[in-house]
Amino acid sequence: MSSIAQKKGFGATIWDFMTTVDHKKIAILYLISGGIFFLIGGLEAMLIRVQLAKAGNDFLSAGTYNEIITMHGTTMIFLAAMPILLAFMNAIMPLQIGARDVAFPFLNSLGFWLFFFGGIFLNLSWFMGGAPDAGWTNYASLALASEGKGIDFYSLGLTISGFGTLIAGINFLVTIINMRAPGMTYMRMPLFTWTTFVASALILLAFPPLTVGLFFMVFDRMFDANFFAVEMGGNTIIWEHLFWIFGHPEVYILILPAFGIFSEIFAIFSRKRLFGYTALVFATILIGFYGFMVWAHHMFTVGLGPTANAVFALATMIIAVPTGIKIFNWLLTIWGGNISFSVPMIYAVAFIPSFVAGGVTGVMQAIAPLDYQLHDSYFIVAHFHYVIVGGVVLAILAGTHLYWPKMFGTMLSEKLGKWTFWFFFIGFHLTFFIQHFLGLMGMPRRVYTFGADQGWDLFNAISSVGALFMAIGVIILLVNVVLTSIKNERVGNDPWGDGRTLEWAIASPPPFYNFAQTPLVRGLDSVWIEKMDGNKKGMIFAEPLGDIHMPNGSIIPFVISLGMFIASFGALYFLDGDKPWALAVLIIGLGITFGSMLLRSLKDDLGFHITKAELLEDAKGGNTDGH
Amino acid sequence: MAHDTHIHVRSQAEFEYTKKKRAEEMRGHLATFAIMIFLTLIAFTMVTAGFSAYLIVPIVLLLAAIQVVLQLYYFMHMSGKGHGMVAFFMFCGMFVAFITILALVTIVWW
């Protein structure tokens, strides 16, 4: 990125990123905005830990504390973890299957901008009369009673950013089904591509229930529709069902790509083919499938009755089987490998015990009678942070180190990377391990303070110290990014030296058209096969060099999303009565959106061609950014 | 682009083959169309005849499902080549949605 930025002015670079339809640049956009939201969510986490550091603290008021826990959860799940994973999917998956771009580059850009504006909208609530305060699960009775506009920010913001995620998911599905290079059969796809595929299928099937739920919520709050209002004959439990029918697959949408990243890391840094590739693929599919069959385990204490609880408890425990298969396959991949403990590998090795700990507490909670004890206690908080931080966030940090050279063409410092790892890893266990015991000692979730006589002081103080460690780790990572960008030492195709899949057979960062010639894939780990056959290039080609058809960039996705963003403000205020301009804002916003969609439909944009001569020029080491 | 254009001259045999295929397809379309009209007639007749709602509702839903399948396979070409993945995703989606809705309805309203 930096080499391009130096050649072009600042404004031109911004414009380039606003109009880009290139999957690699969209990946950078996802990474930067997801990273910023990750920092905001992290800041909120720090505030929570400061407030809970000692008994009877008055650092935050009860109301503000509710807003902060809500925004911490919502931001981390929807605006940080998922977009950063989408960044890796965007940057790497098309390269892994030997494609020039995703199937719908325009939609890819639209998906990003919808997510981005949805996230901005949600976070503007802080400055416009108060953030949502009913928890990230936004349970209906509590949400309907919430005063102010917080909950409306939540429902509208998540609707918009949910559209974006849905679009991204469909795009990846079509890409993986249709755009694999010749010879890349399904059972030769790298595991990160497989997990992207299954996670995208989950996005496709899981987001509609959330949209339905949010739609009901908007209507209940704005038009008194009474879907969830018990006193009017509605049913408040329906929200919980809809939310968790989405919410449980959602956590698998997060963890499956994380599994994919770790699978790549284990194979690369053990210098071995993945042990039990087929089993890993089918375990991924099974986890995806079971993900839809277990949502009610979040609701054991609602009173569904013993039959429903028993069925969902059993279904939940079954998920431990494919997950166990994965864990053992990873261990056997490492076993007997020629291991190098680079930063990504350290994260991967640390991930196994951390995630297993989270998984085991998950099975404990699947036992419905025990869950009556654990429900809404800090034990739950400890559990889901063990799977999300110990699984997803470690994968994000590992992936950042692993794919940084592929995305930006420079290597993050190994030394600082190890510092980040140790601070973050120790901090993580310090913060959350002890919360299991706080939970068992009876400390409930979502309380803004506790009394000095309850005996929770010491453990909470330790937990807060751990959070500080994690913050230091993240700050070191930021320093690492800055130093690496300033040094700007360019690296070659395969900076780790042991790349196995197609993304490592192409320049870092890849030219904007990816592969000058579509590669021919001869088996699983195709680059490794070629290298073992003495082919230094790492790939053979399926076609002669020829002209390449490329899509034009477009500002329209940005404008469509901006229209939705403006319209949301209209929707937010137009029932207030004292704001006559709100309806106009709503109409103008929707007008911008539909107008730009119309423009896109009517205006033929046939893209452009890169000629063979230009490709030959590039191959000699010419420009790689396409301008 | 001009160099992408291929002019393919069809042989007589190819022409005959395509023509036969198309005729078969057309017959399929007409037959399906007739069946669909017939199914619709059954549905309407049942309602006008005034049977019990407990009989009508499941039968009408069943007829609707048959119509959807006919529509997909005969008019939207799902039987054609290269639609395997589409069919797979649709049936997976339907299966997941069916189980989810069944479980939801059972535990909420039973």
Side-chain angles (χ1 to χ4, degrees), chain A residues 275 321 323-334:
Chain A
F275 184 91
V321 176
T323 317
I325 291 175
K326 285 188 161 243
I327 299 281
F328 284 114
N329 278 324
W330 288 323
L331 291 176
L332 290 169
T333 305
I334 310 175

Side-chain angles (χ1 to χ4, degrees), chain A residues 138 143-144 151-159 210-228 239 571-572 574-575:
Chain A
N138 201 46
L144 292 179
I151 304 298
D152 305 321
F153 273 107
Y154 175 95
S155 3
L156 292 168
L158 286 192
T159 307
L210 176 71
T211 314
V212 172
L214 288 171
F215 190 79
F216 287 172
M217 181 63 71
V218 169
F219 270 67
D220 263 19
R221 280 196 48 105
M222 295 191 174
F223 307 107
D224 298 322
N226 301 322
F227 288 109
F228 305 127
W239 166 269
L572 194 67
F574 92 111
L575 281 179

Side-chain angles (χ1 to χ4, degrees), chain A residues 109-155:
Chain A
S109 163
L110 181 62
F112 168 75
W113 289 111
L114 282 171
F115 141 70
F116 180 77
F117 280 112
I120 296 285
F121 183 77
L122 188 53
N123 272 284
L124 281 178
S125 61
W126 286 115
F127 310 104
M128 302 179 70
D133 57 356
W136 87 283
T137 52
N138 201 46
Y139 277 7
S141 297
L142 189 58
L144 292 179
S146 168
E147 286 165 10
K149 297 245 173 266
I151 304 298
D152 305 321
F153 273 107
Y154 175 95
S155 3

Side-chain angles (χ1 to χ4, degrees), chain A residues 440-469:
Chain A
L440 295 176
M441 289 155 71
M443 181 166 170
R445 280 173 82 175
R446 293 171 171 156
V447 288
Y448 83 104
T449 190
F450 53 93
D453 55 345
Q454 286 174 297
W456 303 331
D457 305 46
L458 177 66
F459 283 9
N460 269 304
I462 294 173
S463 187
S464 294
V465 172
L468 186 68
F469 272 63

Side-chain angles (χ1 to χ4, degrees), chain A residues 515-563:
Chain A
F515 298 92
Q517 291 160 274
T518 302
L520 181 69
V521 178
R522 296 199 294 155
L524 179 65
D525 292 340
S526 66
V527 173
W528 187 260
I529 292 177
E530 297 302 336
K531 281 197 286 197
M532 290 303 108
D533 282 0
N535 177 357
K536 289 256 165 48
K537 265 190 200 158
M539 55 179 167
I540 50 175
F541 304 107
E543 59 173 17
L545 196 63
D547 292 4
I548 299 176
H549 184 201
M550 295 296 291
N552 282 323
S554 170
I555 190 70
I556 292 178
F558 181 87
V559 180
I560 292 178
S561 315
L562 184 68

